[in-house]
Amino acid sequence: MAIIGFSRTNQMGVSAIVGLGNKADIDEDDLLTFFEQDDNTQVIAMHVEDLKDGRAFAEVAQRVTKKKPVVVLKAGRTSMGARAARSHTGALAGDDQIYDDILRQSGVIRAMSLNDMLEYARGLQILPAPRGENVLILTGAGGSGVLLSDACVDNGLTLMTMPDDLDAAFREYIPPFGASGNPVDITGGEPPTTYRNTIRLALEDERVHALILGYWHTIITPPMVFAELLSEEIERARQVGIDKPVVASLVGDVEVEDAARHLMEHDILAYPYEAEKPVAVLGAKYRWARQAGLI
Amino acid sequence: MAIIGFSRTNQMGVSAIVGLGNKADIDEDDLLTFFEQDDNTQVIAMHVEDLKDGRAFAEVAQRVTKKKPVVVLKAGRTSMGARAARSHTGALAGDDQIYDDILRQSGVIRAMSLNDMLEYARGLQILPAPRGENVLILTGAGGSGVLLSDACVDNGLTLMTMPDDLDAAFREYIPPFGASGNPVDITGGEPPTTYRNTIRLALEDERVHALILGYWHTIITPPMVFAELLSEEIERARQVGIDKPVVASLVGDVEVEDAARHLMEHDILAYPYEAEKPVAVLGAKYRWARQAGLI
């Protein structure tokens, strides 16, 4: 039921919703096999209380996840959750350490909450696959840069070691008291041109494989101005064949909600009042790309 | 900046916002001392990259947290985050294990993300303090009950062991294939009366100290009908002096967003498309109540 409201509000495409019930006949690996071949399905998200046949699941999932991301929300992780699962579907939710091992070996992306499952299902469809491990943070607020850096570590992302020439190129655009290195901190008083120039530089440099933006509300570059210039720059890059994953954390007054909506409509993952969520979705995309052998 | 937009959108009262800069003069414990005495402040939320004087902070915080919850988002938790903090404010973000120990001893509630800090700051103001450890989950969907049970364990909450007489009382209202025990699963085909009766029972029974509701969208009890009956029952209970923490997870079509808004306007914490977040906020309230010696 959560898929219905979430997908309508967030314009997430849904090819099918299947309720497996008590799995007397069809089970998880049957459905993985089916959706593996369904061209209308880009991402498979599963909410399970148990896996009927762990070995078969791992075997099929290892193959399917090479082609499409599979997100799994495993309910009944804890003793109390497992007890509730037993009385709900009769599921033997079992030892979570064993499930964690099976899921890891299967190459699936494990979501630890309902909302993460939904956000991963949406975000994995939107983000292009990264071509390498170099992640760059570009921020208008040093404080956001710190939170975003923490989130990168939490999600297994690698902050690119900044090459000297690229560092020098960023310095051309940012004030002397801005921080170069990674995060690039353009500081909080910059006009739209600085955002545009630094975003373009990050998009065009082939050594940067993914971009995390920390937007911080200022009068000189208001939220919608930022959103419009970012979507223009990404559109411009896409037209010349550059398509890297870009996510944005938007911090500010209520206008950042409109800015997030504008960016989402242009297939750029952006969240208001969040620092860690966009990085978590990017992290999920990276986990998949590694599993699929793309990087 | 995130406080501004978040508080306007979510009608969270804000008594003051203070930016400490590089803390050359006033630091964290000075502000804790100030806001301890400010009657207009119910909750203190802090975003810090370091603590200038850990010992003084712990001493003051131990006293203040007896009166008011203090939420701390510590940025620079990781090696990469700490490096970014150094270039941002010159903060020596330091070993996170040490910070974690200091924060734990100080009795503060540690938020692990920007959004959690904001949600705790809002939720801790709204939720009344619990009078004991017995948490009850009441759900229209067994699947929600499992996720909510997991979240209880994750957040240090205790699922009440259901007394036989209360179990029998719930059974009077729910179908024979519903699950009694805790979670109470009223099942997904029940009319508004069943929700009303079971909610009233949980509110009126003194052994139940906090209530987690898992709403699942059905045609027979649509989201707004549920929201209205829940707010009526809580209003009714408040009038006779019953005021327990109640949080709700709402799963369904987009109407659950209106239902969440209605509940929030009646000081009931409700989140659409989320299972774990309402439980996390309740868990924060419990951590505070224990620290303050209320339970």
PDB file of all heavy atoms in Angstrom, chain B residues 161-188:
ATOM      1  N   THR B 161       4.417  -7.114  27.660  1.00  0.00           N
ATOM      2  CA  THR B 161       3.885  -8.482  27.693  1.00  0.00           C
ATOM      3  C   THR B 161       2.396  -8.363  28.002  1.00  0.00           C
ATOM      4  O   THR B 161       2.005  -7.791  29.013  1.00  0.00           O
ATOM      5  CB  THR B 161       4.581  -9.295  28.800  1.00  0.00           C
ATOM      6  OG1 THR B 161       5.997  -9.236  28.570  1.00  0.00           O
ATOM      7  CG2 THR B 161       4.130 -10.745  28.780  1.00  0.00           C
ATOM      8  N   MET B 162       1.610  -8.868  27.078  1.00  0.00           N
ATOM      9  CA  MET B 162       0.175  -8.615  27.177  1.00  0.00           C
ATOM     10  C   MET B 162      -0.472  -9.372  28.341  1.00  0.00           C
ATOM     11  O   MET B 162      -0.446 -10.605  28.373  1.00  0.00           O
ATOM     12  CB  MET B 162      -0.464  -9.060  25.856  1.00  0.00           C
ATOM     13  CG  MET B 162      -1.925  -8.790  25.761  1.00  0.00           C
ATOM     14  SD  MET B 162      -2.275  -7.024  25.642  1.00  0.00           S
ATOM     15  CE  MET B 162      -2.330  -6.847  23.861  1.00  0.00           C
ATOM     16  N   PRO B 163      -1.096  -8.687  29.284  1.00  0.00           N
ATOM     17  CA  PRO B 163      -1.810  -9.380  30.369  1.00  0.00           C
ATOM     18  C   PRO B 163      -3.023 -10.129  29.796  1.00  0.00           C
ATOM     19  O   PRO B 163      -3.644  -9.639  28.841  1.00  0.00           O
ATOM     20  CB  PRO B 163      -2.285  -8.243  31.278  1.00  0.00           C
ATOM     21  CG  PRO B 163      -1.550  -7.021  30.828  1.00  0.00           C
ATOM     22  CD  PRO B 163      -1.185  -7.225  29.401  1.00  0.00           C
ATOM     23  N   ASP B 164      -3.354 -11.265  30.376  1.00  0.00           N
ATOM     24  CA  ASP B 164      -4.443 -12.094  29.849  1.00  0.00           C
ATOM     25  C   ASP B 164      -5.772 -11.352  29.747  1.00  0.00           C
ATOM     26  O   ASP B 164      -6.497 -11.488  28.763  1.00  0.00           O
ATOM     27  CB  ASP B 164      -4.628 -13.347  30.725  1.00  0.00           C
ATOM     28  CG  ASP B 164      -3.482 -14.343  30.521  1.00  0.00           C
ATOM     29  OD1 ASP B 164      -2.793 -14.239  29.480  1.00  0.00           O
ATOM     30  OD2 ASP B 164      -3.272 -15.201  31.404  1.00  0.00           O
ATOM     31  N   ASP B 165      -6.081 -10.569  30.782  1.00  0.00           N
ATOM     32  CA  ASP B 165      -7.385  -9.884  30.752  1.00  0.00           C
ATOM     33  C   ASP B 165      -7.447  -8.831  29.649  1.00  0.00           C
ATOM     34  O   ASP B 165      -8.485  -8.649  28.999  1.00  0.00           O
ATOM     35  CB  ASP B 165      -7.690  -9.244  32.122  1.00  0.00           C
ATOM     36  CG  ASP B 165      -6.679  -8.159  32.474  1.00  0.00           C
ATOM     37  OD1 ASP B 165      -5.453  -8.418  32.394  1.00  0.00           O
ATOM     38  OD2 ASP B 165      -7.106  -7.043  32.810  1.00  0.00           O
ATOM     39  N   LEU B 166      -6.321  -8.169  29.394  1.00  0.00           N
ATOM     40  CA  LEU B 166      -6.306  -7.144  28.337  1.00  0.00           C
ATOM     41  C   LEU B 166      -6.370  -7.827  26.964  1.00  0.00           C
ATOM     42  O   LEU B 166      -7.054  -7.365  26.048  1.00  0.00           O
ATOM     43  CB  LEU B 166      -5.047  -6.273  28.472  1.00  0.00           C
ATOM     44  CG  LEU B 166      -4.974  -5.041  27.560  1.00  0.00           C
ATOM     45  CD1 LEU B 166      -6.182  -4.126  27.727  1.00  0.00           C
ATOM     46  CD2 LEU B 166      -3.686  -4.260  27.817  1.00  0.00           C
ATOM     47  N   ASP B 167      -5.661  -8.930  26.863  1.00  0.00           N
ATOM     48  CA  ASP B 167      -5.699  -9.720  25.636  1.00  0.00           C
ATOM     49  C   ASP B 167      -7.147 -10.130  25.319  1.00  0.00           C
ATOM     50  O   ASP B 167      -7.613  -9.976  24.187  1.00  0.00           O
ATOM     51  CB  ASP B 167      -4.823 -10.965  25.820  1.00  0.00           C
ATOM     52  CG  ASP B 167      -4.414 -11.581  24.492  1.00  0.00           C
ATOM     53  OD1 ASP B 167      -3.992 -10.828  23.593  1.00  0.00           O
ATOM     54  OD2 ASP B 167      -4.526 -12.815  24.359  1.00  0.00           O
ATOM     55  N   ALA B 168      -7.826 -10.615  26.336  1.00  0.00           N
ATOM     56  CA  ALA B 168      -9.226 -11.039  26.165  1.00  0.00           C
ATOM     57  C   ALA B 168     -10.096  -9.849  25.766  1.00  0.00           C
ATOM     58  O   ALA B 168     -10.989  -9.961  24.914  1.00  0.00           O
ATOM     59  CB  ALA B 168      -9.741 -11.676  27.453  1.00  0.00           C
ATOM     60  N   ALA B 169      -9.816  -8.699  26.358  1.00  0.00           N
ATOM     61  CA  ALA B 169     -10.591  -7.491  26.040  1.00  0.00           C
ATOM     62  C   ALA B 169     -10.400  -7.084  24.582  1.00  0.00           C
ATOM     63  O   ALA B 169     -11.354  -6.711  23.889  1.00  0.00           O
ATOM     64  CB  ALA B 169     -10.186  -6.357  26.977  1.00  0.00           C
ATOM     65  N   PHE B 170      -9.146  -7.164  24.072  1.00  0.00           N
ATOM     66  CA  PHE B 170      -8.911  -6.853  22.653  1.00  0.00           C
ATOM     67  C   PHE B 170      -9.630  -7.862  21.758  1.00  0.00           C
ATOM     68  O   PHE B 170     -10.213  -7.499  20.748  1.00  0.00           O
ATOM     69  CB  PHE B 170      -7.403  -6.834  22.340  1.00  0.00           C
ATOM     70  CG  PHE B 170      -6.737  -5.521  22.668  1.00  0.00           C
ATOM     71  CD1 PHE B 170      -5.787  -5.427  23.670  1.00  0.00           C
ATOM     72  CD2 PHE B 170      -7.075  -4.374  21.958  1.00  0.00           C
ATOM     73  CE1 PHE B 170      -5.182  -4.213  23.973  1.00  0.00           C
ATOM     74  CE2 PHE B 170      -6.474  -3.144  22.253  1.00  0.00           C
ATOM     75  CZ  PHE B 170      -5.525  -3.068  23.261  1.00  0.00           C
ATOM     76  N   ARG B 171      -9.579  -9.131  22.162  1.00  0.00           N
ATOM     77  CA  ARG B 171     -10.202 -10.183  21.347  1.00  0.00           C
ATOM     78  C   ARG B 171     -11.700  -9.971  21.143  1.00  0.00           C
ATOM     79  O   ARG B 171     -12.274 -10.426  20.154  1.00  0.00           O
ATOM     80  CB  ARG B 171      -9.984 -11.556  21.984  1.00  0.00           C
ATOM     81  CG  ARG B 171      -8.598 -12.128  21.713  1.00  0.00           C
ATOM     82  CD  ARG B 171      -8.467 -13.523  22.339  1.00  0.00           C
ATOM     83  NE  ARG B 171      -7.156 -14.075  22.071  1.00  0.00           N
ATOM     84  CZ  ARG B 171      -6.795 -14.604  20.898  1.00  0.00           C
ATOM     85  NH1 ARG B 171      -7.674 -14.665  19.909  1.00  0.00           N
ATOM     86  NH2 ARG B 171      -5.579 -15.072  20.734  1.00  0.00           N
ATOM     87  N   GLU B 172     -12.311  -9.278  22.088  1.00  0.00           N
ATOM     88  CA  GLU B 172     -13.741  -8.956  21.953  1.00  0.00           C
ATOM     89  C   GLU B 172     -14.012  -8.146  20.684  1.00  0.00           C
ATOM     90  O   GLU B 172     -15.094  -8.194  20.118  1.00  0.00           O
ATOM     91  CB  GLU B 172     -14.202  -8.106  23.149  1.00  0.00           C
ATOM     92  CG  GLU B 172     -14.291  -8.840  24.461  1.00  0.00           C
ATOM     93  CD  GLU B 172     -15.519  -9.751  24.510  1.00  0.00           C
ATOM     94  OE1 GLU B 172     -16.620  -9.273  24.164  1.00  0.00           O
ATOM     95  OE2 GLU B 172     -15.338 -10.949  24.840  1.00  0.00           O
ATOM     96  N   TYR B 173     -13.011  -7.350  20.304  1.00  0.00           N
ATOM     97  CA  TYR B 173     -13.231  -6.414  19.194  1.00  0.00           C
ATOM     98  C   TYR B 173     -12.673  -6.881  17.850  1.00  0.00           C
ATOM     99  O   TYR B 173     -13.088  -6.392  16.810  1.00  0.00           O
ATOM    100  CB  TYR B 173     -12.588  -5.057  19.515  1.00  0.00           C
ATOM    101  CG  TYR B 173     -13.175  -4.373  20.725  1.00  0.00           C
ATOM    102  CD1 TYR B 173     -12.378  -3.982  21.793  1.00  0.00           C
ATOM    103  CD2 TYR B 173     -14.548  -4.108  20.787  1.00  0.00           C
ATOM    104  CE1 TYR B 173     -12.917  -3.339  22.891  1.00  0.00           C
ATOM    105  CE2 TYR B 173     -15.096  -3.470  21.891  1.00  0.00           C
ATOM    106  CZ  TYR B 173     -14.276  -3.089  22.944  1.00  0.00           C
ATOM    107  OH  TYR B 173     -14.807  -2.455  24.023  1.00  0.00           O
ATOM    108  N   ILE B 174     -11.688  -7.780  17.889  1.00  0.00           N
ATOM    109  CA  ILE B 174     -11.026  -8.119  16.619  1.00  0.00           C
ATOM    110  C   ILE B 174     -11.469  -9.494  16.124  1.00  0.00           C
ATOM    111  O   ILE B 174     -11.894 -10.333  16.908  1.00  0.00           O
ATOM    112  CB  ILE B 174      -9.478  -8.047  16.738  1.00  0.00           C
ATOM    113  CG1 ILE B 174      -8.928  -9.082  17.725  1.00  0.00           C
ATOM    114  CG2 ILE B 174      -9.015  -6.652  17.149  1.00  0.00           C
ATOM    115  CD1 ILE B 174      -7.408  -9.070  17.840  1.00  0.00           C
ATOM    116  N   PRO B 175     -11.398  -9.699  14.807  1.00  0.00           N
ATOM    117  CA  PRO B 175     -11.850 -10.984  14.253  1.00  0.00           C
ATOM    118  C   PRO B 175     -10.993 -12.143  14.759  1.00  0.00           C
ATOM    119  O   PRO B 175      -9.846 -11.935  15.158  1.00  0.00           O
ATOM    120  CB  PRO B 175     -11.694 -10.819  12.738  1.00  0.00           C
ATOM    121  CG  PRO B 175     -10.962  -9.557  12.502  1.00  0.00           C
ATOM    122  CD  PRO B 175     -10.908  -8.789  13.756  1.00  0.00           C
ATOM    123  N   PRO B 176     -11.536 -13.363  14.740  1.00  0.00           N
ATOM    124  CA  PRO B 176     -10.822 -14.518  15.286  1.00  0.00           C
ATOM    125  C   PRO B 176      -9.478 -14.773  14.596  1.00  0.00           C
ATOM    126  O   PRO B 176      -8.559 -15.303  15.213  1.00  0.00           O
ATOM    127  CB  PRO B 176     -11.775 -15.686  15.051  1.00  0.00           C
ATOM    128  CG  PRO B 176     -12.971 -15.156  14.350  1.00  0.00           C
ATOM    129  CD  PRO B 176     -12.883 -13.688  14.283  1.00  0.00           C
ATOM    130  N   PHE B 177      -9.326 -14.338  13.314  1.00  0.00           N
ATOM    131  CA  PHE B 177      -8.051 -14.573  12.627  1.00  0.00           C
ATOM    132  C   PHE B 177      -7.083 -13.417  12.854  1.00  0.00           C
ATOM    133  O   PHE B 177      -5.963 -13.421  12.349  1.00  0.00           O
ATOM    134  CB  PHE B 177      -8.276 -14.818  11.122  1.00  0.00           C
ATOM    135  CG  PHE B 177      -9.103 -13.759  10.462  1.00  0.00           C
ATOM    136  CD1 PHE B 177      -8.514 -12.639   9.885  1.00  0.00           C
ATOM    137  CD2 PHE B 177     -10.493 -13.872  10.425  1.00  0.00           C
ATOM    138  CE1 PHE B 177      -9.279 -11.658   9.280  1.00  0.00           C
ATOM    139  CE2 PHE B 177     -11.263 -12.886   9.820  1.00  0.00           C
ATOM    140  CZ  PHE B 177     -10.661 -11.780   9.249  1.00  0.00           C
ATOM    141  N   GLY B 178      -7.500 -12.409  13.606  1.00  0.00           N
ATOM    142  CA  GLY B 178      -6.567 -11.331  13.980  1.00  0.00           C
ATOM    143  C   GLY B 178      -5.606 -11.869  15.026  1.00  0.00           C
ATOM    144  O   GLY B 178      -5.863 -12.878  15.676  1.00  0.00           O
ATOM    145  N   ALA B 179      -4.472 -11.180  15.172  1.00  0.00           N
ATOM    146  CA  ALA B 179      -3.480 -11.659  16.128  1.00  0.00           C
ATOM    147  C   ALA B 179      -3.557 -10.833  17.399  1.00  0.00           C
ATOM    148  O   ALA B 179      -3.451  -9.609  17.363  1.00  0.00           O
ATOM    149  CB  ALA B 179      -2.083 -11.559  15.528  1.00  0.00           C
ATOM    150  N   SER B 180      -3.754 -11.500  18.503  1.00  0.00           N
ATOM    151  CA  SER B 180      -3.640 -10.790  19.767  1.00  0.00           C
ATOM    152  C   SER B 180      -2.208 -10.972  20.248  1.00  0.00           C
ATOM    153  O   SER B 180      -1.356 -11.453  19.522  1.00  0.00           O
ATOM    154  CB  SER B 180      -4.658 -11.299  20.766  1.00  0.00           C
ATOM    155  OG  SER B 180      -4.420 -12.666  21.015  1.00  0.00           O
ATOM    156  N   GLY B 181      -1.949 -10.597  21.477  1.00  0.00           N
ATOM    157  CA  GLY B 181      -0.557 -10.487  21.894  1.00  0.00           C
ATOM    158  C   GLY B 181      -0.148  -9.065  21.572  1.00  0.00           C
ATOM    159  O   GLY B 181      -0.991  -8.164  21.514  1.00  0.00           O
ATOM    160  N   ASN B 182       1.106  -8.832  21.363  1.00  0.00           N
ATOM    161  CA  ASN B 182       1.597  -7.490  21.059  1.00  0.00           C
ATOM    162  C   ASN B 182       2.638  -7.637  19.974  1.00  0.00           C
ATOM    163  O   ASN B 182       3.662  -8.280  20.217  1.00  0.00           O
ATOM    164  CB  ASN B 182       2.210  -6.872  22.335  1.00  0.00           C
ATOM    165  CG  ASN B 182       2.616  -5.422  22.164  1.00  0.00           C
ATOM    166  OD1 ASN B 182       2.359  -4.817  21.129  1.00  0.00           O
ATOM    167  ND2 ASN B 182       3.254  -4.874  23.191  1.00  0.00           N
ATOM    168  N   PRO B 183       2.448  -7.133  18.767  1.00  0.00           N
ATOM    169  CA  PRO B 183       1.397  -6.248  18.274  1.00  0.00           C
ATOM    170  C   PRO B 183      -0.014  -6.848  18.318  1.00  0.00           C
ATOM    171  O   PRO B 183      -0.173  -8.058  18.101  1.00  0.00           O
ATOM    172  CB  PRO B 183       1.792  -6.020  16.804  1.00  0.00           C
ATOM    173  CG  PRO B 183       3.201  -6.421  16.666  1.00  0.00           C
ATOM    174  CD  PRO B 183       3.469  -7.390  17.733  1.00  0.00           C
ATOM    175  N   VAL B 184      -0.996  -5.978  18.549  1.00  0.00           N
ATOM    176  CA  VAL B 184      -2.394  -6.336  18.344  1.00  0.00           C
ATOM    177  C   VAL B 184      -2.691  -6.069  16.875  1.00  0.00           C
ATOM    178  O   VAL B 184      -2.591  -4.925  16.426  1.00  0.00           O
ATOM    179  CB  VAL B 184      -3.325  -5.464  19.222  1.00  0.00           C
ATOM    180  CG1 VAL B 184      -4.777  -5.842  18.961  1.00  0.00           C
ATOM    181  CG2 VAL B 184      -2.983  -5.608  20.696  1.00  0.00           C
ATOM    182  N   ASP B 185      -3.020  -7.131  16.142  1.00  0.00           N
ATOM    183  CA  ASP B 185      -3.286  -6.999  14.706  1.00  0.00           C
ATOM    184  C   ASP B 185      -4.785  -7.100  14.492  1.00  0.00           C
ATOM    185  O   ASP B 185      -5.343  -8.191  14.534  1.00  0.00           O
ATOM    186  CB  ASP B 185      -2.530  -8.102  13.947  1.00  0.00           C
ATOM    187  CG  ASP B 185      -2.775  -8.072  12.447  1.00  0.00           C
ATOM    188  OD1 ASP B 185      -3.477  -7.154  11.971  1.00  0.00           O
ATOM    189  OD2 ASP B 185      -2.263  -8.974  11.756  1.00  0.00           O
ATOM    190  N   ILE B 186      -5.437  -5.947  14.245  1.00  0.00           N
ATOM    191  CA  ILE B 186      -6.895  -5.982  14.109  1.00  0.00           C
ATOM    192  C   ILE B 186      -7.305  -6.451  12.713  1.00  0.00           C
ATOM    193  O   ILE B 186      -8.485  -6.644  12.461  1.00  0.00           O
ATOM    194  CB  ILE B 186      -7.549  -4.615  14.433  1.00  0.00           C
ATOM    195  CG1 ILE B 186      -7.223  -3.567  13.367  1.00  0.00           C
ATOM    196  CG2 ILE B 186      -7.162  -4.134  15.827  1.00  0.00           C
ATOM    197  CD1 ILE B 186      -8.047  -2.295  13.522  1.00  0.00           C
ATOM    198  N   THR B 187      -6.312  -6.632  11.825  1.00  0.00           N
ATOM    199  CA  THR B 187      -6.470  -7.063  10.429  1.00  0.00           C
ATOM    200  C   THR B 187      -7.062  -5.964   9.542  1.00  0.00           C
ATOM    201  O   THR B 187      -7.649  -5.013  10.030  1.00  0.00           O
ATOM    202  CB  THR B 187      -7.315  -8.366  10.247  1.00  0.00           C
ATOM    203  OG1 THR B 187      -8.689  -8.082  10.472  1.00  0.00           O
ATOM    204  CG2 THR B 187      -6.806  -9.457  11.173  1.00  0.00           C
ATOM    205  N   GLY B 188      -6.907  -6.170   8.261  1.00  0.00           N
ATOM    206  CA  GLY B 188      -7.111  -5.093   7.297  1.00  0.00           C
ATOM    207  C   GLY B 188      -8.522  -4.927   6.755  1.00  0.00           C
ATOM    208  O   GLY B 188      -8.708  -4.248   5.759  1.00  0.00           O
TER     209      GLY B 188
END
